[in-house]
């Protein structure tokens, strides 16, 4: 990640990548963390007005919570998947099908914290306008036009709207398409919750085939892409816990 900056606020990693006229920010985390994010920016010598674009890996609150607040300061533009538009406009996180990766997560306070922090909270609705980019497929031109040497990959699995940013040097910023925390949960680099496990593994294969060599997840430290290859198909869709039931529970509760 040449000349990039990592900013960790709470459990979420944010990544700043140089672009024309400033920076592109990968994910804009929980609204409650906005002041801390601004403090971390200052410590890195970055003015929030230098953030020209926000690349939202998916619509969950711990990735989009202060999107609107940051735009008010920087007048930045957004890069999102088309499936993220409605929940972002509604300001509400959603779950779609799927379930929890294993029983350890179900009985783990940490696992539930990670899961519900990302889906239960509402956030300021996001409005879209001229200059925003809404993608529906892999794209090799948008980022380059902004001064970022890389491509956009659609990487659904954790959510249908998940996208990743792959730089030409092999650095892959994947949001929650992969997870590198709480090894004792036995998630094998999957997020505690996935909407479609088979799609998630397809996304891993795509990242590998497209040349990803180092993975920069939203949660946890960067790791070699070999770890994805080694853990492909470790879990099966039919073995997900609370499969297709969890979204209904969350929707009723929150």
């Amino acid at each position: 990640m040449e000349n990039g900056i990592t900013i960790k606020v709470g459990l979420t990693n944010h990544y700043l990548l140089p672009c024309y006229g400033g920076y592109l920010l990968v994910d804009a985390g929980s609204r409650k963390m906005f002041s801390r994010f601004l403090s971390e920016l200052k410590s890195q010598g970055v003015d929030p007005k230098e953030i020209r674009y926000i690349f939202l890996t998916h619509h969950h609150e711990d990735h989009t919570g202060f999107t609107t607040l940051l735009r008010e300061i920087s007048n930045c533009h957004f890069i999102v998947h088309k499936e993220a538009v409605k929940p972002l406009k509604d300001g509400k996180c959603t779950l779609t099908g799927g379930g929890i990766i294993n029983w350890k997560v179900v009985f783990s306070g940490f696992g539930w914290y990670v899961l519900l922090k990302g889906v239960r909270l509402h956030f300021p609705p996001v409005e879209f306008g001229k200059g925003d980019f809404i993608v529906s497929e892999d794209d090799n031109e948008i980022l380059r036009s902004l001064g970022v040497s890389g491509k956009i990959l659609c990487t659904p699995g954790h959510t249908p709207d998940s996208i990743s940013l792959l730089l030409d040097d092999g650095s892959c910023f994947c949001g929650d398409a992969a997870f590198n925390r709480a090894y004792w949960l036995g998630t094998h680099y999957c997020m505690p919750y996935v909407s479609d496990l088979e799609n998630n593994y397809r996304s891993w294969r795509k990242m590998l085939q497209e040349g990803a060599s180092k993975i920069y997840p939203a949660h946890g430290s960067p790791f070699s892409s070999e770890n994805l290859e080694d853990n492909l198909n470790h879990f099966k869709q039919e073995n997900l816990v609370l499969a297709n039931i969890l979204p209904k529970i969350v929707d009723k509760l929150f």
Side-chain angles (χ1 to χ4, degrees), residues 129-200:
K130 186 177 180 180
D132 295 330
F133 297 92
I134 299 173
V135 301
S136 58
E137 59 186 11
D138 298 349
D139 187 279
N140 193 34
E141 298 180 1
I142 291 175
L143 295 176
R144 299 183 194 283
S145 73
L146 308 180
V148 179
S149 299
K151 63 182 70 173
I152 299 170
L153 300 179
C154 295
T155 50
H158 174 61
T159 62
D161 62 310
S162 293
I163 55 175
S164 297
L165 191 161
L166 176 62
L167 295 180
D168 291 346
D169 68 3
S171 301
C172 186
F173 305 87
C174 69
D176 286 353
F179 179 71
N180 192 27
R181 283 188 63 92
Y183 305 106
W184 52 274
L185 286 176
T187 60
H188 291 264
Y189 294 93
C190 280
M191 274 295 290
Y193 165 83
V194 290
S195 66
D196 189 315
L197 184 59
E198 293 178 1
N199 265 346
N200 205 91

Side-chain angles (χ1 to χ4, degrees), residues 11-236:
L11 294 178
T12 303
N13 300 321
H14 309 78
Y15 302 101
L16 285 169
L17 305 177
C19 69
Y20 293 142
Y23 292 96
L24 177 149
L25 173 67
V26 179
D27 285 336
S30 177
R31 182 182 185 183
K32 293 182 178 179
M33 295 293 182
F34 188 51
S35 60
R36 284 185 56 187
F37 174 78
L38 293 179
S39 295
E40 291 296 324
L41 274 186
K42 184 177 180 180
S43 71
Q44 295 287 345
V46 177
D47 188 316
K49 293 181 181 179
E50 295 182 82
I51 297 177
R52 309 293 294 168
Y53 305 94
I54 305 178
F55 183 97
L56 298 177
T57 61
H58 62 295
H59 75 278
H60 286 169
E61 195 273 344
D62 57 332
H63 297 258
T64 63
F66 60 71
T67 300
T68 298
L69 299 176
L70 186 53
R71 175 175 246 182
E72 291 174 355
I73 295 176
S74 66
N75 197 32
C76 57
H77 300 292
F78 307 141
I79 304 171
V80 304
H81 191 274
K82 68 175 184 178
E83 295 295 330
V85 172
K86 185 180 188 307
L88 286 171
K89 285 184 175 181
D90 292 341
K92 182 181 179 181
C93 299
T94 63
L95 290 182
T96 304
I100 299 176
I101 206 71
N102 63 28
W103 282 104
K104 287 184 179 179
V105 173
V106 174
F107 294 116
S108 161
F110 177 83
W112 280 101
Y113 175 80
V114 171
L115 173 66
L116 295 180
K117 181 176 176 59
V119 301
R120 69 174 178 166
L121 299 177
H122 294 194
F123 50 88
V126 177
E127 297 298 328
F128 294 90
K130 186 177 180 180
D132 295 330
F133 297 92
I134 299 173
V135 301
S136 58
E137 59 186 11
D138 298 349
D139 187 279
N140 193 34
E141 298 180 1
I142 291 175
L143 295 176
R144 299 183 194 283
S145 73
L146 308 180
V148 179
S149 299
K151 63 182 70 173
I152 299 170
L153 300 179
C154 295
T155 50
H158 174 61
T159 62
D161 62 310
S162 293
I163 55 175
S164 297
L165 191 161
L166 176 62
L167 295 180
D168 291 346
D169 68 3
S171 301
C172 186
F173 305 87
C174 69
D176 286 353
F179 179 71
N180 192 27
R181 283 188 63 92
Y183 305 106
W184 52 274
L185 286 176
T187 60
H188 291 264
Y189 294 93
C190 280
M191 274 295 290
Y193 165 83
V194 290
S195 66
D196 189 315
L197 184 59
E198 293 178 1
N199 265 346
N200 205 91
Y201 286 138
R202 288 191 193 99
S203 293
W204 286 12
R205 291 190 189 92
K206 177 188 287 189
M207 289 188 279
L208 294 169
Q209 291 167 358
E210 292 290 337
S213 58
K214 191 167 186 178
I215 308 300
Y216 290 82
H219 307 292
S221 57
F223 60 93
S224 170
S225 60
E226 293 177 357
N227 295 108
L228 296 185
E229 188 170 11
D230 291 342
N231 287 276
L232 275 169
N233 300 319
H234 181 87
F235 298 106
K236 301 297 181 183

